[in-house]
Amino acid sequence: MKQYLIIYFFNLLVVISLTPKLIKYLWSTEILDFPGGRKNHLRVIPRMGGVIILILILISSVNYIQRDGKMTLFISSAFILSICGIADDILILDYAKKFFLQSVSIILLLLFISGPFNSTSLFFVHLSHPFDFILLFLFCLGVVNAMNFLDGLDGLVSGFGVLCFFSLFLLGLGVNNILVLVISVASLGALSGFLKYNTFPAEIFLGDTGSLTIAFFLLVCGLLFGIHPEKNMLDLTPILILLGLPIIDTLRVITLRLIRGERIFFADNLHLHHLLIGQNIRHKTVVFLLLIFSLLFMITAIIYSQYSDWWGTVLFFVVAVTLLLFPKLISLSGILPGMVLFKQKTAQVYRIMSPKLQKVFLPLSLFIAFVVIVSTFSYRIHSDLKIVNLLLICEVLFCGVALYMYNHTKRLYSFYIIINLIVFFAITNYSLPALSAWLPPSVHCYHIVNIAITLLVFIVSYFFIFRRQIFQSNVVFFTGLDLVILSFILFSLTGPYLVKDGLIPISGRNLFIPYLFYLLYKIYDLLDFRFSPVLFFTSFIINILILGHANVA
């Protein structure tokens, strides 16, 4: 597990540090995406941000590939597809040239994975050589373009990639496929860092380089996971289910265009995200809703792979049909008028409850947070010394970057905060709290924490529901990044229980509590709480103290 943590935090730190420099470079070279037409952004934004993700994933993964002809095929396939993306970002290629480069890349990819199987399975249908390679070629070509079509909203593809690679990492643990695990965790680290700059409102776009890179490495991991050498077969179904969102959306749009007699690649507003935006649903809310569907497809893929292929197939078609009907269901349900009425009612309730409650809740939340930290604080960590030292090095590096880039780091405060909170609660989850020695035997620290967390949920909910009245403006409480993280937490609450025979590195509880504290920090920041910078650097100091003086059991 140590090597995966190293890869994750290395890629995370590099992307966080270098993306602002890449943004400046893209501005200076005028590799920009201009608003207009079908585009949802209203200002000029740099594109081709995916180049940094591509480089990091390749650096992380090449050491785990056998140094023979297979390695050459892997690197050549990734290189050709990246050339296609970079050229399209800079020059805007026509579809014929893009298809040619994509086809060559996919042929090399299929040669890379070939060998351990002589047939391919898709939903109980088996195809033998050479017909299965035709199916694989068409599938890969479709996925590459479907991922490109999906990239229409800030943070949608990068958030989708985070969820997919986390799913593949969980599945890879079960079969112990090293290359799948390395590519998944490398992509997860790079995309986690990139999300801070790519979610709404985005400062940089993935571009075709990024969407093609994500599609390529998802295909590599999915195809490698689907190979069953003992059966001499490749099962294509898990990766198809996992990528259900872009595949179904693309098939839907192509079908509608053919019915209308239009060209397949005719630009229009028929994609699901266009239809939802057209119903006056906010940008980040549309991303969140689509990621929830992605989450459902991922759970379905795990059920198919780990439990029952029959039930997995049934669930896939249920979720797929729901996704296809979702825009119509939203328009018929009356949810949007109901939300307007809800806002009016909350304003009335707030006036009745009196704004003075927030003056009580603010110091109370600080006290409760202090109680939780004290109740979980420990110097005795039940974990590997190497992992403790690795986390300590990462914390020191993050703190150094935060201090060095202090004036430019304020926009990253919330990101650093949640990383520090996840590390704190992850390491203390495997420790004996120091407070236990001072409590009577009948009282356990975890009881105190559970009561405190329940109170914090109530307080955070109060500030969220009445945010417009409390903050006296239409503030953005949940950013695009917050909703992506929330999607990730929702998946982590279910994924570990579905994966069999795998070491799950993180649980839903280890993410939910940090996320709650993170939202609490955002409340302090939105209220211009003067101690917000102190809380920010304290999050580093506490972790460094615990890790630096840990008595590893």
Side-chain angles (χ1 to χ4, degrees), residues 117-121 125-135:
F117 64 97
N118 59 18
S119 66
T120 300
S121 172
V125 177
H126 295 268
L127 289 176
S128 303
H129 286 342
F131 301 105
D132 64 333
F133 266 76
I134 297 173
L135 172 65

Side-chain angles (χ1 to χ4, degrees), residues 94-260:
D94 58 51
Y95 279 107
K97 294 176 182 176
K98 286 199 285 189
F99 269 135
F100 174 75
L101 291 173
Q102 290 169 3
S103 299
V104 173
S105 173
I106 289 168
I107 290 171
L108 294 175
L109 171 60
L110 295 180
L111 291 173
F112 167 70
I113 67 166
S114 64
F117 64 97
N118 59 18
S119 66
T120 300
S121 172
L122 180 63
F123 291 121
F124 312 111
V125 177
H126 295 268
L127 289 176
S128 303
H129 286 342
F131 301 105
D132 64 333
F133 266 76
I134 297 173
L135 172 65
L136 288 171
F137 175 81
L138 293 175
F139 174 78
C140 293
L141 187 63
V143 167
V144 165
N145 285 281
M147 194 66 69
N148 199 12
F149 294 155
L150 186 67
D151 192 17
L153 297 179
D154 299 356
L156 179 55
V157 168
S158 49
F160 176 78
V162 166
L163 294 176
C164 283
F165 283 117
F166 183 64
S167 307
L168 288 165
F169 181 73
L170 293 180
L171 292 171
L173 286 170
V175 298
N176 197 29
N177 189 312
I178 302 299
L179 185 57
V180 171
L181 292 172
V182 169
I183 292 177
S184 298
V185 78
S187 305
L188 195 56
L191 288 171
S192 297
F194 190 77
L195 269 172
K196 179 59 185 175
Y197 305 95
N198 184 234
T199 48
F200 183 79
E203 299 175 55
I204 184 172
F205 288 154
L206 282 166
D208 277 25
T209 309
S211 59
L212 294 182
T213 295
I214 294 171
F216 175 79
F217 287 109
L218 283 174
L219 284 171
V220 171
C221 293
L223 294 175
L224 288 176
F225 171 77
I227 295 174
H228 300 280
E230 71 282 358
K231 299 179 182 178
N232 209 14
M233 179 193 72
L234 187 156
D235 190 355
L236 195 60
T237 313
I239 185 62
L240 184 146
I241 295 175
L242 193 66
L243 302 178
L245 175 63
I247 290 174
I248 291 170
D249 182 41
T250 300
L251 289 176
R252 174 187 167 278
V253 170
I254 289 176
T255 302
L256 289 174
R257 288 172 184 170
L258 290 174
I259 292 173
R260 296 181 178 187

Side-chain angles (χ1 to χ4, degrees), residues 329-340:
L329 292 174
I330 288 289
S331 62
L332 295 175
S333 64
I335 291 176
L336 298 179
M339 292 299 296
V340 175

Side-chain angles (χ1 to χ4, degrees), residues 332-402:
L332 295 175
S333 64
I335 291 176
L336 298 179
M339 292 299 296
V340 175
L341 180 62
F342 176 75
K343 291 178 183 178
Q344 296 173 352
K345 293 296 182 182
T346 53
Q348 295 174 7
V349 172
Y350 181 76
R351 286 193 294 269
I352 296 171
M353 292 178 64
S354 172
K356 293 181 180 179
L357 271 177
Q358 73 187 64
K359 296 180 180 180
V360 176
F361 282 158
L362 193 62
L364 179 61
S365 64
L366 274 174
F367 174 74
I368 294 172
F370 176 77
V371 168
V372 172
I373 297 296
V374 170
S375 300
T376 54
F377 190 88
S378 175
Y379 279 137
R380 189 170 182 81
I381 302 172
H382 296 276
S383 184
D384 188 344
L385 178 60
K386 293 180 180 179
I387 294 179
V388 170
N389 290 335
L390 172 64
L391 291 174
L392 176 60
I393 292 170
C394 292
E395 282 291 336
V396 173
L397 286 174
F398 274 120
C399 187
V401 171

